[in-house]
Amino acid sequence: MVPRRLTQLYAGLTLYGVSGSFILLSGLGNDPWDVLHQGLARQTPIGTGTWVCLVGAIVLLGWIPLRQRPGLGTISNVIVIGLVVDVMLAMFGQAHAMPERVALLLSGIVLNGVATGMYIGARYGPGPRDGLMTGLAARGLSIRSVRTGIEVTVLLIGALLGGTVGLGTLLYAVTIGPLAHVFIPAFTVAEPQPAY
């Protein structure tokens, strides 16, 4: 059971980095957090993937007052996704032809939903951004309002810093919830049942 969960965790995190890179390379609009990461990269000599790692670590510090406990998946999320993004962006250039850009965007969004299901379903802990959301929601706020508030805030900051906002941003926003709703249960590894 553990080897399967670990394989699924790291496959999911790697796929998450690949899918995020597809969306970035499409140039049609990033998910809100990648708008922030890309905006920070455009204002500094630090790459987008490195900003994924740095922002994840900073968000993780926000868990302390919320008394959230990181798991292996949480720490791995901070490291693996950003490294994969940096490798992908170094290997491939921005797409130019519209059919290629649309294909990258659509496949990136769907694969992001699959990747989310895989890494969360491995049950090694949520990513820093998801843990911040659940930690704030545990204080009596609705998950919907917390998630919306966080996403809108990082989107606005990222846009002001020069991150790419576009049709892909909107498409991601309206599809990632339904995709996660399908893929998280599909990939959730069942808890072992005690033997009687």
Side-chain angles (χ1 to χ4, degrees):
M1 182 72 75
V2 170
R4 179 206 164 176
R5 289 175 59 209
L6 285 171
T7 301
Q8 182 174 311
L9 170 66
Y10 289 106
L13 292 173
T14 301
L15 184 59
Y16 199 100
V18 169
S19 66
S21 300
F22 283 3
I23 296 168
L24 286 162
L25 291 169
S26 79
L28 294 173
N30 307 324
D31 72 79
W33 282 99
D34 279 340
V35 172
L36 175 63
H37 302 140
Q38 186 182 59
L40 289 165
R42 288 182 171 167
Q43 299 301 321
T44 66
I46 299 170
T48 303
T50 304
W51 274 113
V52 172
C53 298
L54 292 172
V55 169
I58 292 166
V59 170
L60 202 50
L61 292 175
W63 284 31
I64 295 169
L66 298 173
R67 297 192 179 123
Q68 293 282 91
R69 300 189 109 163
L72 175 64
T74 310
I75 304 303
S76 297
N77 180 298
V78 171
I79 299 165
V80 174
I81 294 173
L83 292 176
V84 172
V85 168
D86 268 348
V87 168
M88 290 290 293
L89 295 181
M91 289 174 56
F92 302 100
Q94 181 115 14
H96 297 290
M98 189 54 73
E100 183 181 60
R101 294 172 71 192
V102 170
L104 280 170
L105 175 65
L106 295 178
S107 61
I109 291 172
V110 172
L111 291 175
N112 195 271
V114 173
T116 298
M118 289 177 71
Y119 97 79
I120 291 176
R123 297 186 299 105
Y124 278 113
R129 296 150 186 88
D130 291 329
L132 178 64
M133 173 192 65
T134 57
L136 288 169
R139 302 299 181 269
L141 302 168
S142 77
I143 285 186
R144 179 178 42 213
S145 62
V146 169
R147 181 66 181 246
T148 301
I150 291 171
E151 298 284 325
V152 168
T153 300
V154 300
L155 176 61
L156 290 175
I157 294 169
L160 290 171
L161 292 171
T164 304
V165 178
L167 176 64
T169 309
L170 177 62
L171 191 57
Y172 183 92
V174 299
T175 58
I176 196 61
L179 288 169
H181 183 78
V182 169
F183 289 115
I184 291 174
F187 285 105
T188 297
V189 179
E191 294 273 356
Q193 299 299 316
Y196 294 102

